[in-house]
Amino acid sequence: MALQPMHSAPVPAPAGDYLLSLRDVKVHFPIRGGLLGTTVASVKAVDGVDLDIIRGETLGLVGESGCGKSTLGRAILQLVRPNAGSVLLNGVDLAKLSPNELRRYRADMQMIFQDPFSSLDPRYTIGKTISEPLRNFGRGSGAERTRRVEELMRIVGLNANWINRYPHEFSGGQRQRIGIARALALNPKFIVADEPISALDVSIQAQVLNLMEDLQREFNLTYLFITHNLSAVKHISNRIAVMYLGRIMEVGSADEVYSQPQHPYTIALLSASPVPDPTLEQQRKRIILTGDVPSPVNPPSGCPFHPRCWKAQPICREVRPVLEVKRAGTTQLAACHFPGA
């Protein structure tokens, strides 16, 4: 029942050692109308995503609110079933599995939710909350589950004597640690962390990020870290993917994306992120995007960013750019006809 710690940092995965591969994943939500409730349109929340997640890494997923980040995370875990495309976990296409077949893979994939209070049942003690995955999958006897819960509480920095307390008796940071302990209960390989620090005080955010990094080193976890906090994603991520209007605009190592962003949308996002050095902050040029984010019901043709892009040309309105390498000698990808600053 016990977790088996690695006691050392995981060896970086070689290129191509993918735990997860997404190919042309689409999640469209129908809009119904009329007396018969027929589908009149659809919200294209995720609209053709190709993405690879390397075993043992943290892939940061960033973008504006409403761009489809959380929906993509849920589609990977099959909490929302994709309308099209494939989600390959160790070569198995989860999107094609029946619910009974999919259950075999549920234990390998877990989620840390954004709001640590609403994601916990107020009627459950934290002991019952953390042990729920063990009961659901029939792991261990009652005594073994109790020992496992106490072990998990110690691992995430909680006092095991608090096992019979309720969620309202804890602070926001402690409740998020409870959520992390629950996610670890079944020894998962992959965790989707959906805005795990956005509901926490700034002083607590660093503690939770450091805890997640420690757990990753100890248990060789793979994270998809969803956030709009560019400072946090730079701190914790090996690679970063930038999402806009349901599509991936850019993917690269954290250093590449921050030092030499290729897509204009990435450049605009980074220009809005504050720098802790007052001198550098005064020298920076802020890029203010004009116009509103287009509707995901009727996204623009060609590049989805072209209505707000200061570099847009006629080809951008007509041809959808391919996500491909734009800088020789790197693995940095961008979906842009005119990449670079």
Side-chain angles (χ1 to χ4, degrees):
M1 292 293 292
L3 285 170
Q4 299 299 318
M6 300 286 293
H7 299 302
S8 62
V11 177
D17 186 12
Y18 300 129
L19 177 66
L20 273 159
S21 293
L22 281 60
R23 294 292 178 265
D24 197 28
V25 173
K26 297 180 181 179
V27 181
H28 296 176
F29 297 107
I31 299 175
R32 303 188 187 280
L35 295 176
L36 299 178
T38 56
T39 299
V40 296
S42 61
V43 176
K44 300 175 177 63
V46 177
D47 197 25
V49 166
D50 295 318
L51 196 62
D52 294 307
I53 301 177
I54 299 172
R55 196 181 311 274
E57 78 166 344
T58 297
L59 177 67
L61 183 61
V62 301
E64 294 171 287
S65 296
C67 70
K69 304 186 302 295
S70 295
T71 302
L72 180 61
R74 285 165 168 75
I76 292 173
L77 299 182
Q78 303 300 299
L79 299 178
V80 174
R81 299 306 290 264
N83 301 91
S86 59
V87 180
L88 301 175
L89 175 69
N90 285 326
V92 177
D93 190 353
L94 303 179
K96 290 183 170 55
L97 299 181
S98 69
N100 287 337
E101 293 171 330
L102 184 59
R103 182 174 170 79
R104 295 169 46 199
Y105 298 91
R106 289 289 188 196
D108 291 335
M109 308 178 296
Q110 295 296 313
M111 191 166 192
I112 301 171
F113 295 93
Q114 178 175 357
D115 186 345
F117 189 72
S118 63
S119 65
L120 303 176
D121 191 325
R123 300 167 299 178
Y124 280 16
T125 65
I126 65 168
K128 188 174 181 181
T129 293
I130 297 172
S131 66
E132 186 174 16
L134 300 172
R135 297 194 307 273
N136 190 26
F137 281 83
R139 302 281 180 87
S141 64
E144 288 174 328
R145 292 170 191 163
T146 299
R147 288 195 296 270
R148 173 69 165 150
V149 170
E150 292 173 344
E151 177 194 23
L152 288 165
M153 291 177 66
R154 287 190 291 268
I155 287 171
V156 300
L158 296 172
N159 190 328
N161 294 326
W162 299 343
I163 190 170
N164 291 318
R165 293 187 180 183
Y166 289 86
H168 72 271
E169 300 179 72
F170 295 89
S171 68
Q174 289 172 330
R175 285 195 287 262
Q176 194 59 289
R177 290 173 186 265
I178 295 168
I180 293 172
R182 177 176 59 186
L184 291 175
L186 295 172
N187 292 324
K189 297 182 177 70
F190 175 66
I191 292 178
V192 173
D194 186 10
E195 300 273 12
I197 61 172
S198 64
L200 305 179
D201 293 339
V202 174
S203 60
I204 305 300
Q205 291 180 0
Q207 296 179 21
V208 173
L209 288 178
N210 290 335
L211 172 63
M212 291 180 64
E213 288 184 311
D214 291 342
L215 294 172
Q216 183 176 42
R217 285 191 294 268
E218 193 171 5
F219 305 119
N220 200 19
L221 298 171
T222 303
Y223 291 140
L224 176 66
F225 186 84
I226 300 171
T227 185
H228 62 268
N229 187 327
L230 294 174
S231 299
V233 80
K234 183 180 181 182
H235 171 77
I236 197 172
S237 300
N238 303 106
R239 293 189 304 137
I240 294 173
V242 181
M243 195 168 184
Y244 181 79
L245 209 64
R247 300 178 184 175
I248 300 298
M249 298 287 102
E250 183 166 352
V251 185
S253 71
D255 290 338
E256 289 172 340
V257 171
Y258 272 80
S259 63
Q260 297 191 60
Q262 294 299 296
H263 199 283
Y265 179 60
T266 309
I267 295 171
L269 283 181
L270 293 177
S271 79
S273 179
V275 174
D277 186 323
T279 303
L280 293 177
E281 181 66 23
Q282 290 179 352
Q283 296 173 351
R284 291 195 321 143
K285 180 182 178 182
R286 173 73 189 276
I287 298 174
I288 307 295
L289 296 177
T290 59
D292 297 324
V293 178
S295 170
V297 176
N298 186 26
S301 59
C303 175
F305 187 61
H306 84 256
R308 307 173 73 195
C309 182
W310 64 95
K311 299 172 68 175
Q313 301 293 324
I315 189 175
C316 302
R317 293 187 286 270
E318 299 167 2
V319 180
R320 177 177 174 177
V322 177
L323 187 66
E324 60 187 3
V325 174
K326 298 297 184 180
R327 292 174 55 221
T330 74
T331 58
Q332 188 174 2
L333 310 175
C336 182
H337 294 299
F338 305 98

